[in-house]
């Protein structure tokens, strides 16, 4: 049973703030793209991040940040692809999660500021994220890949691309990932009535722009349609009050049929990207990520208080 925070407070805030307005209306989605192209949002890490050293380089036009724990020797890397519908910039919640993973799992976390629509497309971004994963593996050792929402699509499509290049990741962490950008799953209509955040009409606008010249069902765009055989382990979080949940269930079944080691966490009544929310369920999910990554590295997480 969801806590009061997850059942009432967070959905109530999302509805009151009309956070779904650009997702449920195609014209508003187009206007949102135009506005953010003219007036991009800031993307830099907040000054309040503690416990990590932050560096940034410009790699072929992309700002690429690295977060390194100030105490303890890093024992691997992680590349994080932020969500935001391929149109929204990285937010403070993403930065906090990246810093927590750096500190508690003792990882060097790479955060690319990838180009958003209308300037970026899947064909532009996926190979470049794959390059960052391989660079991280060369520089820092075993490297994980993670992403939420639109970043979850980037993460899984990148994992498929790397698999095709002969690289198997130690784990890919998917938080409420977008998996089929056609949004054709009929179960979406049922969930839409409960989802206070996402919507099909605007989501289709963003998905079509992100696909660029690729077909919408190309695995580089919609990883649900890829052959999952040979992928490394996957951890997937999803809430049932999220229109992306029906496709998460399809991925669950497809991954298990393909023999993928899948850690599937579905929570009834929880919203999109609930692991990023300031809720007890979100905190539990974040601890699960840290514990899982540390187990993959055969070590214990840093359980000291995060400052």
């Amino acid at each position: 049973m969801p806590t009061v925070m997850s059942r009432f407070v967070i959905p109530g805030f999302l509805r009151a703030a009309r956070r779904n307005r650009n997702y449920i209306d195609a014209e508003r989605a187009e206007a949102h793209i135009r506005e953010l192209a003219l007036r991009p949002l800031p993307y830099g890490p907040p000054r309040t991040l503690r416990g990590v050293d932050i560096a940034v380089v410009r790699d072929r036009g992309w700002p690429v940040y690295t977060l390194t724990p100030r105490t303890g020797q890093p024992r691997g890397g992680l590349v994080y692809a932020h969500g935001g519908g391929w149109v929204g910039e990285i937010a403070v919640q993403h930065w906090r999660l990246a810093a927590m993973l750096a500190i508690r799992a003792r990882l060097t976390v790479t955060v690319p500021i990838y180009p958003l629509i209308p300037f970026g497309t899947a064909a532009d971004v996926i190979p470049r994220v794959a390059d960052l994963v391989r660079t991280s593996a060369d520089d820092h050792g075993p490297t994980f890949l993670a992403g939420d929402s639109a970043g979850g699509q980037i993460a899984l499509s990148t994992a498929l691309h790397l698999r095709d290049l002969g690289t198997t990741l130690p784990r890919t962490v998917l938080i409420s990932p977008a998996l089929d950008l056609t949004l054709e799953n009929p179960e979406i209509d049922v969930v839409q009535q409960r989802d206070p955040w996402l919507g099909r009409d605007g989501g289709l606008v963003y998905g079509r722009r992100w696909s660029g010249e690729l077909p919408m069902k190309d695995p580089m765009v919609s990883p649900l349609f890829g052959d999952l055989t040979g992928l490394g382990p996957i951890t997937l979080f999803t809430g049932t009050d999220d229109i992306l949940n029906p496709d998460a269930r399809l991925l669950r079944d497809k991954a298990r049929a393909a023999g993928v080691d899948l850690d599937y966490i579905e929570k009834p009544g929880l919203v999109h990207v609930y692991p990023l929310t300031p809720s007890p369920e979100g905190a539990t999910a974040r601890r699960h990520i840290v514990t899982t990554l540390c187990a993959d590295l055969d070590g214990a997480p840093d359980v000291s208080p995060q400052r």
Side-chain angles (χ1 to χ4, degrees):
M1 190 73 175
T3 60
V4 170
M5 174 66 77
S6 288
R7 186 175 178 84
F8 299 109
V9 177
I10 291 172
F13 166 77
L14 293 170
R15 290 188 175 96
R18 298 179 62 216
R19 292 295 293 269
N20 66 351
R21 61 187 180 275
N22 295 320
Y23 287 97
I24 61 174
D25 184 287
E27 290 186 3
R28 288 194 68 98
E30 292 283 6
H32 191 52
I33 293 170
R34 292 192 296 270
E35 173 63 20
L36 291 181
L38 287 171
R39 301 175 181 86
L41 296 174
Y43 55 75
R47 297 181 183 275
T48 54
L49 284 189
R50 298 291 184 267
V52 290
D53 290 320
I54 305 171
V56 63
V57 298
R58 187 164 288 274
D59 182 352
R60 290 173 284 174
W62 291 18
V64 177
Y65 288 83
T66 54
L67 280 59
T68 306
R70 286 183 179 162
T71 60
Q73 181 66 31
R75 51 189 176 175
L78 182 144
V79 175
Y80 193 88
H82 71 83
W86 309 279
V87 70
E89 270 299 356
I90 186 170
V92 64
Q93 294 88 346
H94 303 122
W95 284 115
R96 288 173 179 163
L97 177 59
M100 188 199 78
L101 296 177
I103 296 165
R104 297 193 176 178
R106 300 217 318 269
L107 298 169
T108 298
V109 178
T110 300
V111 182
I113 308 300
Y114 58 88
L116 304 170
I117 54 177
F119 307 112
T121 66
D124 301 325
V125 169
I126 302 305
R128 288 285 306 282
V129 175
D131 287 345
L132 290 173
V133 172
R134 289 185 289 188
T135 298
S136 175
D138 290 341
D139 293 345
H140 309 301
T143 293
F144 303 98
L145 184 55
D148 69 283
S149 192
Q153 176 271 318
I154 292 171
L156 186 54
S157 289
T158 300
L160 289 168
H161 183 65
L162 284 166
R163 185 273 321 272
D164 292 344
L165 295 174
T167 298
T168 301
L169 297 174
R171 183 170 300 274
T172 302
V173 178
L174 306 174
I175 299 173
S176 304
L179 298 168
D180 173 8
L181 274 58
T182 72
L183 297 175
E184 64 184 13
N185 191 324
E187 293 299 315
I188 289 174
D189 291 332
V190 177
V191 182
Q192 181 71 84
Q193 301 172 47
R194 306 192 303 270
D195 189 334
W197 198 336
L198 302 184
R200 175 183 270 130
D201 291 351
L204 277 172
V205 170
Y206 299 143
R208 287 169 181 152
R209 290 292 199 98
W210 182 246
S211 68
E213 296 183 359
L214 292 175
M216 290 282 282
K217 293 187 177 182
D218 187 297
M220 199 170 280
V221 176
S222 296
L224 183 62
F225 297 102
D227 177 6
L228 306 183
T229 305
L231 286 180
I234 294 174
T235 294
L236 194 161
F237 296 91
T238 180
T240 61
D241 285 8
D242 176 358
I243 65 168
L244 304 183
N245 172 255
D247 287 336
R249 293 180 172 184
L250 293 180
L251 183 73
R252 173 197 62 193
D253 297 343
K254 187 171 181 178
R256 288 174 176 169
V260 175
D261 178 359
L262 178 68
D263 177 23
Y264 180 81
I265 303 100
E266 178 181 284
K267 295 298 182 182
L270 297 194
V271 298
H272 185 59
V273 298
Y274 81 86
L276 293 173
T277 64
S279 65
E281 293 88 348
T284 298
R286 294 189 292 272
R287 287 193 297 270
H288 184 91
I289 296 172
V290 171
T291 301
T292 299
L293 298 182
C294 288
D296 289 337
L297 294 167
D298 195 25
D302 182 350
V303 295
S304 59
Q306 185 178 357
R307 292 174 294 172

